[in-house]
Amino acid sequence: MDQNWEAQLQSIWLKLGTISNEAFILLIKNHVELLTITDSQAIADFEKACAFDSTGHEKEAEPLYRSALDKGLTGLRRRRARIQLASTLRNNGKIEESIQILREEKSNYSDELDDAVDSFLALSLSSAGKHKEALSLALKALSKHLPRYNNSLSRYAENL
C-alpha cells in the first residue's frame, strides 16, 4: 500500500452519496484488490466493512470489522474499526457488546478519536437506558470544543 493507493481510496470515498450504494461498494471492493502487502487482508476487510456500514448494510459490515481486527489491523484503522464495530453492534441490537468495546477503547487508548469514542459510547448508553451517563459523556466531549463555558459545562457534565 502506498500514498497513491490511499489517495485513490480517498477519492472513492468522496463519491459516497453521489453514486448508487451498489456502485460505491463495488468501487471499494475493486480498489482493495490492489493491495499487495502482508496485512492487506485486514485493511481490505476494514475498507469493505466501512463501505457496507456507510451504505446502511450493518449486518454485512459486522463480520468484516471482526475479521479485520482478528487479522491484526493496526494503527488508526484499528481504532476506527473498534469504534465503527461498536456503532454497528448498537445498530444490530448488540448494545452491551458495543458498550464493552467502547469502554475498553476509552480506558486503554487515547488519541484524536477520544471524543468519537465518547460520542458513540453515549449513543450506546442511551440505547441501554443509561441516559444520565450518556448525557454526561456527550456534554464532556462537547465542552472541549466550545469557545466559552468549557469549564462550566465540563463540571455540570461531571455532576450528572
Side-chain angles (χ1 to χ4, degrees):
M1 178 178 58
D2 60 13
Q3 287 182 345
N4 188 40
W5 186 88
E6 290 285 358
Q8 290 170 348
L9 178 65
Q10 291 310 311
S11 83
I12 293 170
W13 274 100
L14 292 174
K15 295 178 184 186
L16 180 63
T18 66
I19 60 176
S20 73
N21 289 344
E22 295 75 20
F24 175 75
I25 291 168
L26 184 60
L27 285 173
I28 292 290
K29 284 181 176 179
N30 289 338
H31 189 66
V32 298
E33 287 178 10
L34 301 174
L35 288 170
T36 58
I37 59 174
T38 25
D39 62 347
S40 65
Q41 193 57 52
I43 294 170
D45 286 352
F46 171 70
E47 293 297 339
K48 288 186 283 187
C50 293
F52 280 117
D53 203 2
S54 296
T55 56
H57 297 90
E58 287 92 353
K59 296 230 183 286
E60 291 86 351
E62 182 182 337
L64 288 165
Y65 283 133
R66 291 183 191 278
S67 175
L69 291 163
D70 289 345
K71 290 175 180 164
L73 193 65
T74 61
L76 191 57
R77 277 190 172 102
R78 187 212 60 81
R79 186 101 194 264
R80 288 178 51 210
R82 298 264 296 167
I83 294 166
Q84 291 166 211
L85 171 61
S87 175
T88 295
L89 289 169
R90 183 183 72 84
N91 290 334
N92 288 343
K94 301 173 183 176
I95 298 165
E96 290 307 317
E97 186 180 0
S98 172
I99 291 170
Q100 177 188 342
I101 288 170
L102 292 165
R103 286 198 194 278
E104 287 171 4
E105 285 301 304
K106 188 171 174 56
S107 67
N108 294 326
Y109 301 95
S110 183
D111 62 15
E112 68 268 22
L113 295 176
D114 287 352
D115 290 340
V117 170
D118 285 343
S119 297
F120 284 98
L121 179 54
L123 285 169
S124 293
L125 289 167
S126 179
S127 293
K130 300 174 183 177
H131 302 294
K132 271 190 166 182
E133 186 180 357
L135 180 59
S136 176
L137 273 172
L139 291 175
K140 188 108 172 133
L142 177 63
S143 73
K144 300 172 197 170
H145 305 283
L146 297 176
R148 298 187 70 116
Y149 313 112
N150 311 72
N151 293 332
S152 297
L153 188 58
S154 181
R155 280 194 307 276
Y156 287 133
E158 298 251 343
N159 290 323
L160 281 175

